[in-house]
């Protein structure tokens, strides 16, 4: 058995597709049925990932044309990036939600479509991030475009509908917060859920303020977790790390994690006034200055928590010297 391939029941396979950053790999799934194979979340486009897929398919004796469906749970490049490449090889339809697809176009579409990078840098600048770090983030963002091309032609699927693969029907469930437009796939009879990045074991899904999605992603995420907890899930198959057998318990741990982080941020702001960038460094440490990729996630996650606190009137913000400062109204 190839070390990147894990055998699941029903002859399903989990493939660890390599990523060139701290997450190390994304979980792709190969689900056979009478018509051929369905791939869930093919991975990020890198030479290493393509090399692995070629090896895996050869090892499993699968021809590209036997891939009949490609499903992308959400638009993040580590899930979406290889969809177009795989579609070129297999001619299979690529299924994802329209909202997720539109966001992918906003990130890496034509020049007219993609306004994401400039908007993100302007947002971070307004929240106190120094210029040289903005530049490092800009460069890091630029590296992603080649890792998602070519774009696939997408067939839209939506929450509330079902999709068939693996000789089973799967209910599509809207799972916003980590990525707006993300879909989970649930089979009630077997109590199995493909949960994308909404629930992960050992690591916490990143919850970010990103351009155009500035409302209250943390609230959306926590609400979504409450909804997902209502499903009876015996086995959750996530986008990273290991399959989850204690789904409801893991959800509670994630809820507690965010409650603790909110408490901690509130405590910091009771002691002083800070920009979001300063709050980010207080929470995550200044060593992230060396890692633009992780700094971007930490900064956007900090903003998501600050926005959550501000909407609930726990903190207030004001513009001072062209930067937004947060503080508690009670001093
Ligand atoms: Zn993701």
């Amino acid at each position: 058995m190839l070390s990147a391939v894990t055998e699941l029941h029903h002859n399903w396979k989990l493939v660890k597709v390599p990523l060139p950053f701290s997450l190390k790999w994304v979980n792709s799934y190969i689900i056979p049925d009478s018509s051929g194979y369905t791939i869930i979340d093919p991975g990020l486009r890198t030479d290493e990932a393509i090399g692995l897929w070629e090896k895996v398919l050869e090892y499993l004796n699968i021809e590209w044309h036997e891939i009949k469906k490609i499903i992308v749970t959400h638009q993040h490049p580590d899930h979406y990036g290889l969809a177009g490449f795989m579609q070129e090889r297999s001619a299979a339809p690529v299924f994802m939600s329209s909202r997720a697809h539109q966001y992918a176009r906003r990130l890496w579409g034509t020049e007219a479509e993609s306004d994401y990078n400039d908007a993100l840098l302007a947002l971070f600048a307004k929240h106190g991030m120094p210029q040289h770090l903005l530049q490092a983030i800009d460069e890091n963002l630029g590296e992603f475009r080649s890792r998602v091309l070519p774009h696939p032609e997408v067939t839209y699927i939506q929450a509330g509908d079902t999709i068939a693969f693996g000789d089973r029907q799967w209910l599509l469930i809207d799972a916003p917060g980590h990525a707006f437009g993300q879909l989970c796939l649930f089979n009630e009879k077997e109590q199995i859920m493909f949960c994308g990045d909404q629930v992960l074991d050992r690591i916490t899904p990143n919850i970010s303020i990103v351009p155009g999605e500035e409302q209250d992603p943390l609230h959306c995420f926590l609400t979504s977790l409450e909804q997902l907890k209502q499903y009876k899930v015996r086995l959750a198959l996530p986008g990273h790390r290991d399959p989850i057998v204690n789904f409801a318990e893991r959800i509670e741990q994630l809820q507690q994690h965010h409650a603790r982080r909110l408490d901690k941020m509130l405590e910091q702001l009771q002691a002083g006034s800070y920009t979001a960038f300063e709050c980010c460094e207080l929470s995550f440490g200044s060593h992230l200055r060396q890692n633009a990729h992780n700094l971007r996630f930490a900064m956007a996650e900090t903003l998501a928590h600050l926005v959550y606190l501000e909407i609930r009137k726990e903190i207030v913000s004001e513009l001072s010297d062209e930067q937004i400062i947060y503080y508690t109204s009670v001093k």
Side-chain angles (χ1 to χ4, degrees), residues 11 31 33 42 53 57 111 120 145 178-179 181 187 199 204 213 248 253-254 257-258 274 285 315:
N11 210 16
I31 313 294
D33 62 24
W53 271 115
L57 295 189
E111 215 168 296
L120 186 76
R145 182 171 288 274
H178 170 72
N187 179 271
V199 182
T204 58
E213 306 283 12
Q253 290 167 359
L254 293 174
H257 163 82
H258 288 288
Y274 300 109
I315 61 172

Side-chain angles (χ1 to χ4, degrees), residues 32 49 53 68 77 88 100 117-118 123 158 167 176 201 221-222 230-231 244 281 284 289:
W53 271 115
K68 299 298 180 192
E88 264 185 3
N117 293 13
D118 290 347
L123 178 75
Q158 59 178 9
D167 293 322
D201 195 25
F221 178 69
L222 294 172
Q230 310 308 316
Y231 292 90
I244 299 165
E281 294 216 314
F284 295 95
R289 290 176 178 226

Side-chain angles (χ1 to χ4, degrees), residues 168-212:
R168 288 166 181 79
Q169 288 290 334
W170 299 83
L171 174 67
L172 300 165
I173 301 167
D174 185 34
H178 170 72
F180 286 89
Q182 180 174 236
L183 292 169
C184 295
L185 305 113
F186 179 59
N187 179 271
E188 190 176 5
K189 200 162 153 219
E190 300 220 31
Q191 301 173 354
I192 295 176
M193 187 182 285
F194 290 93
C195 61
D197 284 357
Q198 198 72 345
V199 182
L200 299 173
D201 195 25
R202 287 187 289 150
I203 52 174
T204 58
N206 175 252
I207 309 303
S208 279
I209 292 280
V210 288

Side-chain angles (χ1 to χ4, degrees), residues 117-135 137 275-278 299 303 319-325:
N117 293 13
D118 290 347
L120 186 76
L121 296 174
L123 178 75
F124 284 3
K126 194 171 76 178
H127 285 285
M129 187 176 278
Q131 188 57 40
H132 70 284
L133 296 175
L134 293 171
Q135 211 169 329
I137 285 181
T275 63
F277 178 71
E278 288 165 334
M299 179 71 178
L303 278 169
L319 196 62
S320 146
D321 261 347
E322 290 177 34
Q323 290 191 341
I324 293 172
I325 312 280

Side-chain angles (χ1 to χ4, degrees), residues 74 76 78-79 178 197:
H74 64 293
H76 290 160
D78 47 338
H79 301 254
H178 170 72
D197 284 357

